[in-house]
Amino acid sequence: VVKYFRQLAATTISLAVLIWVSLAGAAQAVPLDVQTTGRAHKGEPFLVTVTCPRPMEKVTITWLGRHVPAMVNREGGLFRAMALLGTDVRNVYGSHEQLTVQALVQGKLTSHSLMVEIYEKAYPVQRLTVDPNMVTPPKEFRPRIEEERKIVGAALATITPERFWEVPLLRPTTGRISSVYGLRRVFNDEPRAPHRGIDISAPQGRQILAVEKGMVILIGDHYYAGQSVYVDHGQGVISAYLHLSEIAVRRGQAVLRGELVGKVGSTGRVTGPHLHFGLYVLGQAVDPLPLLLAEEG
Ligand SMILES: [Zn+2]
C-alpha cells in the first residue's frame, strides 16, 4: 500500500511538472493558428489561413521562394490573414515544399513552418495531327514571341499587398469546358507544354467578366494569346483572358467583380472561338476550376 501511494505521489508530481511546463510554454508562445492543406497535387491551388486572437501585423507567407505580404482583417474578436498558393503543372518540385508564415504579434516576431506534400497527378493526354507550321512558329516570329513572353512574365510576377479576392471566384463566361488544365497535348507525336489554363467553349462575341475585383495590369495582342487581358487581384493572384475578339478595358483600370473585360473571340494561335482562362498564383499557373463558382442551372 505504501509503495502504491509513493507511485501515485510520483505520478502526481510529474503531472504537476508537466502542467507547469506547458503553462510556462503557453505564456511565451504566440497563439498563431495556421490552417492549410498538408497535401496538394501538382497544379492544384490551396488556401492558407492564419488566425490569431491577438492583434497581428506584417504577416508574410513564403512559398517556393516568393514572399506574399498577407493583409490582416479583423473578424469578430480574431485577426485573420489569407493567401492563395499552388504549384504549376509545368514545373518540377520536391516531394514536399516548405510553407512559412511570419507575423508580428504585439511587437514580437513569430514564425511557423510546415511541409506541404506535392504529388503527381496523371492529367489527360490529347494526340493531334496538325499542320507542322502550327506546331513550330516560323523563325521570323521568334523574337516577337520571346519579347511577349518577357512582358507577360513581368506582369505575372506582380505581388500587390492588398487582397481584392474572395473564393470562390466568378465564372468568366458561360460554356462547356472544352479543354482542362494540365492536358498534355501531343502534336504530330511531339509532346508540347501542358495546358496551363482552361478553355471554355463559347460563341464569338459572348461576354467575358472579371472573376474578381482587381486592376488591369496588362493588355496584349500577342502571337499565341491574341487579344488578351490580365487582371491583378492582389497578393500575387492574377487572372488572364485570352483570344478575345474585343477588349472592353484599358491598362491601369480598376474593375469590379463581374465587370465586362471583353468578348470571346479566336485571335492568336487558335482554331476556333473560345476563352482560354488562366489563373496565376505567385507566377505559377494553377488549375482555376476548383476556385470557380459552380455554373448555375
Ligand atoms: Zn487554352
Side-chain angles (χ1 to χ4, degrees), residues 178-180 185 195-200 242-243 270 274-278:
S178 54
S179 180
V180 296
R185 279 180 283 205
H195 195 215
R196 295 170 78 219
I198 56 170
D199 289 349
I200 303 178
L242 315 186
H243 314 307
V270 290
H274 73 273
L275 169 68
H276 172 101
F277 176 68

Side-chain angles (χ1 to χ4, degrees), residues 164-287:
F164 303 118
W165 53 264
E166 290 286 348
V167 284
L169 304 169
L170 210 63
R171 274 182 113 83
T173 193
T174 54
R176 183 178 64 88
I177 308 292
S178 54
S179 180
V180 296
Y181 170 92
L183 184 77
R184 292 176 296 145
R185 279 180 283 205
V186 181
F187 289 154
N188 309 339
D189 294 325
E190 260 186 73
R192 311 307 293 179
H195 195 215
R196 295 170 78 219
I198 56 170
D199 289 349
I200 303 178
S201 177
Q204 176 99 8
R206 184 169 283 174
Q207 293 199 334
I208 299 168
L209 313 177
V211 294
E212 187 46 283
K213 183 180 172 180
M215 173 79 77
V216 178
I217 49 164
L218 179 65
I219 277 176
D221 189 359
H222 298 159
Y223 181 79
Y224 284 113
Q227 292 206 79
S228 38
V229 175
Y230 295 81
V231 181
D232 173 19
H233 305 290
Q235 290 192 188
V237 178
I238 290 156
S239 60
Y241 313 80
L242 315 186
H243 314 307
L244 313 190
S245 59
E246 253 178 70
I247 292 176
V249 288
R250 58 192 158 70
R251 188 179 179 164
Q253 186 182 329
V255 290
L256 295 172
R257 184 180 167 105
E259 194 169 332
L260 183 74
V261 293
K263 288 179 178 177
V264 172
S266 54
T267 55
R269 300 286 273 190
V270 290
T271 50
H274 73 273
L275 169 68
H276 172 101
F277 176 68
L279 193 75
Y280 296 83
V281 169
L282 308 177
Q284 315 270 321
V286 297
D287 185 359

Side-chain angles (χ1 to χ4, degrees), residues 6-27:
R6 264 190 205 147
Q7 272 183 355
L8 193 69
T11 311
T12 311
I13 289 162
S14 62
L15 267 177
V17 168
L18 273 174
I19 290 163
W20 180 82
V21 166
S22 72
L23 279 175

Side-chain angles (χ1 to χ4, degrees), residues 11 28 30-31 57 66 73-74 100 109 130 132 148 150 203 217-218 240 243 254 265 269 284 286-287 296:
T11 311
Q28 300 218 327
V30 175
E57 52 185 321
R66 309 286 310 270
N73 290 316
R74 193 171 185 163
T100 303
L109 195 65
V130 296
E148 289 168 357
K150 282 184 195 156
I217 49 164
L218 179 65
H243 314 307
R269 300 286 273 190
Q284 315 270 321
V286 297
D287 185 359
E296 289 165 41

Side-chain angles (χ1 to χ4, degrees), residues 23-215:
L23 279 175
Q28 300 218 327
V30 175
L32 209 60
D33 179 29
V34 179
Q35 295 288 329
T36 192
T37 182
R39 195 166 188 254
H41 66 67
K42 205 162 142 184
E44 183 184 16
F46 60 91
L47 273 175
V48 186
T49 308
V50 185
T51 313
C52 186
R54 297 191 216 154
M56 65 172 176
E57 52 185 321
K58 292 198 173 91
V59 178
T60 305
I61 295 167
T62 304
W63 175 245
L64 304 174
R66 309 286 310 270
H67 307 289
V68 199
M71 205 167 83
V72 180
N73 290 316
R74 193 171 185 163
E75 289 172 32
L78 295 172
F79 295 83
R80 183 166 288 143
M82 250 166 42
L84 196 57
L85 305 175
T87 47
D88 194 318
V89 67
R90 187 184 67 173
N91 300 343
V92 176
Y93 304 94
S95 66
H96 292 77
E97 293 288 347
Q98 186 170 285
L99 191 165
T100 303
V101 177
Q102 209 174 58
L104 200 58
V105 181
Q106 292 174 319
K108 192 172 175 177
L109 195 65
T110 179
S111 177
H112 283 238
S113 285
L114 52 103
M115 298 305 278
V116 177
E117 186 188 350
I118 309 297
Y119 64 102
E120 291 292 332
K121 182 181 171 180
Y123 286 106
V125 182
Q126 185 183 44
R127 291 179 186 279
L128 295 168
T129 304
V130 296
D131 178 352
N133 289 325
M134 281 291 282
V135 182
T136 311
K139 209 177 168 186
E140 67 266 30
F141 287 110
R142 283 179 206 163
R144 176 188 163 185
I145 292 165
E146 185 50 28
E147 181 62 23
E148 289 168 357
R149 198 186 60 78
K150 282 184 195 156
I151 292 167
V152 172
L156 297 178
T158 308
I159 301 179
T160 306
E162 290 100 317
R163 174 168 66 84
F164 303 118
W165 53 264
E166 290 286 348
V167 284
L169 304 169
L170 210 63
R171 274 182 113 83
T173 193
T174 54
R176 183 178 64 88
I177 308 292
S178 54
S179 180
V180 296
Y181 170 92
L183 184 77
R184 292 176 296 145
R185 279 180 283 205
V186 181
F187 289 154
N188 309 339
D189 294 325
E190 260 186 73
R192 311 307 293 179
H195 195 215
R196 295 170 78 219
I198 56 170
D199 289 349
I200 303 178
S201 177
Q204 176 99 8
R206 184 169 283 174
Q207 293 199 334
I208 299 168
L209 313 177
V211 294
E212 187 46 283
K213 183 180 172 180
M215 173 79 77

